């Protein structure tokens, strides 16, 4: 891998410094990501981009395949006091932390049930442990650069899923892009699939400090893993090569 390819693939250039993306660091811990297909990555991108456009009030053509997900999200917004002001500053917000040398893009900063929240959207089939580390890193970076009145008091995951349920055995079939997976139910059943329906799982994540410390520990491992590459990146703001031994 060339240095330029590595920098492009794993990080951002911000104010003259190169810093890895939070998700590059957390992907080291993720068993799921290693096996994630391109189809499910594309699906996630489509859902993220469409929701971003709708929240900005852009007029866009909606892909009918994701309509159940969008309906579920709309309904969730209505029942959770969702409020998003200043779309320019609140959607796909770039955040960074020079001291700990990482950067990332926050999906949404919005009020949910009266709290100002940092929200990450997921289209995975479950909320996973590494999502706690990812949002802790965003939360810390966002709050250290935000005006006091704009700081978030809560971080959470909104998982947006959609599936068809078997009318006989309650197996679930997910079709995200070209990928099709069946889970649960009775494998011997001659499934009769319902219409696709959307589903939202919202989870507020507690224990910010504990998660943030775990993220920093994960980042130490990530730096060790890529130490040879990082030594060749002149504008990486953290010195990984000259640890002082006491
Ligand atoms: Zn069935």
């Amino acid at each position: 891998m060339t240095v330029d390819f590595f920098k492009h693939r794993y990080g951002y250039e911000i104010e003259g410094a190169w810093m890895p993306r939070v998700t590059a660091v957390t992907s080291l811990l993720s068993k799921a990501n290693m096996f994630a297909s391109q189809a499910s990555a594309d699906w996630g991108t489509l859902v993220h981009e469409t929701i971003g456009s709708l929240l900005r009030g852009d007029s866009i053509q909606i892909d009918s395949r994701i309509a159940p997900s969008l309906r579920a999200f709309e309904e969730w917004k209505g029942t959770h006091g969702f409020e998003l002001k200043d779309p320019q500053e609140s959607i796909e917000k770039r955040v960074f932390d020079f001291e700990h040398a990482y950067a990332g893009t926050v999906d949404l900063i919005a009020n949910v049930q009266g709290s100002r929240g940092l929200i990450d959207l997921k289209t995975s089939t479950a909320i996973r442990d590494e999502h706690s580390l990812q949002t802790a890193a965003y939360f810390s970076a966002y709050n250290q650069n935000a005006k006091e009145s704009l700081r978030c008091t809560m971080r959470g995951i909104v998982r947006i899923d959609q599936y068809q349920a078997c009318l006989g055995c309650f197996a679930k079939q997910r079709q995200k892009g070209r990928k099709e997976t069946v889970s649960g139910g009775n494998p011997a059943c001659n499934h009769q699939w319902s219409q696709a329906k959307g589903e939202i799982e919202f989870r507020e994540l507690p224990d910010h400090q504990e998660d943030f410390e775990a993220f920093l520990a994960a980042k130490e491992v990530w730096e060790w893993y890529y130490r040879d590459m990082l030594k060749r990146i002149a504008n990486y703001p953290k010195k990984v090569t000259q640890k002082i031994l006491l």
Side-chain angles (χ1 to χ4, degrees):
M1 209 185 317
T2 66
V3 173
D4 283 346
F5 180 78
F6 178 87
K7 287 170 85 172
H8 178 75
R9 179 164 182 180
Y10 292 120
Y12 295 121
E13 298 272 351
I14 295 171
E15 294 174 25
W18 178 88
M19 291 180 279
R21 271 195 283 278
V22 168
T23 47
V25 174
T26 56
S27 68
L28 206 61
L29 294 168
S30 169
K31 290 180 214 77
N33 275 359
M34 274 189 255
F35 304 107
S37 67
Q38 190 57 43
S40 67
D42 292 347
W43 178 270
T45 304
L46 178 63
V47 171
H48 276 76
E49 285 178 353
T50 306
I51 285 177
S53 298
L54 291 172
L55 290 171
R56 277 187 209 97
D58 300 344
S59 58
I60 50 154
Q61 191 74 39
I62 288 169
D63 187 322
S64 61
R65 290 174 304 164
I66 63 169
S69 290
L70 299 177
R71 274 197 299 274
F73 183 66
E74 278 303 311
E75 199 182 303
W76 177 83
K77 272 167 59 189
T79 53
H80 286 72
F82 181 94
E83 249 186 318
L84 185 144
K85 292 168 192 151
D86 193 5
Q88 217 54 13
E89 284 295 305
S90 311
I91 301 169
E92 304 255 309
K93 171 85 178 160
R94 180 67 52 86
V95 296
F96 53 87
D97 176 334
F98 273 115
E99 186 196 341
H100 299 105
Y102 68 84
T105 305
V106 175
D107 287 335
L108 301 174
I109 305 288
N111 280 11
V112 178
Q113 291 165 330
S115 302
R116 188 169 167 81
L118 183 148
I119 305 293
D120 204 58
L121 303 175
K122 294 290 175 202
T123 54
S124 48
T125 52
I127 292 173
R128 295 191 293 265
D129 282 348
E130 72 262 22
H131 298 155
S132 295
L133 302 196
Q134 187 192 342
T135 54
Y138 292 158
F139 189 81
S140 177
Y142 177 80
N143 277 354
Q144 68 176 256
N145 294 305
K147 275 190 272 175
E148 205 172 336
S149 62
L150 295 177
R151 281 181 201 152
C152 290
T153 55
M154 175 273 277
R155 67 194 163 104
I157 304 282
V158 175
R159 191 178 68 82
I160 309 172
D161 199 2
Q162 69 177 61
Y163 60 84
Q164 294 166 278
C166 173
L167 305 172
C169 75
F170 305 109
K172 287 179 177 179
Q173 172 172 262
R174 291 181 173 85
Q175 246 168 334
K176 294 180 173 174
R178 289 205 188 103
K179 202 180 139 208
E180 188 180 285
T181 54
V182 176
S183 59
N186 175 3
C189 173
N190 180 18
H191 303 306
Q192 302 290 311
W193 299 117
S194 70
Q195 299 274 55
K197 51 188 167 190
E199 181 183 65
I200 300 282
E201 179 185 4
F202 171 57
R203 191 183 301 168
E204 205 177 312
L205 300 167
D207 308 322
H208 165 69
Q209 197 54 35
E210 188 182 323
D211 291 351
F212 185 59
E213 280 164 24
F215 169 77
L216 293 180
K219 185 157 182 285
E220 290 286 325
V221 177
W222 184 88
E223 285 175 339
W224 170 82
Y225 192 79
Y226 288 113
R227 61 198 179 282
D228 291 336
M229 195 57 87
L230 293 171
K231 280 174 201 164
R232 293 155 66 195
I233 298 178
N235 62 342
Y236 184 56
K238 200 176 150 195
K239 289 279 164 274
V240 284
T241 51
Q242 294 149 10
K243 288 237 164 105
I244 297 161
L245 298 171
L246 295 172

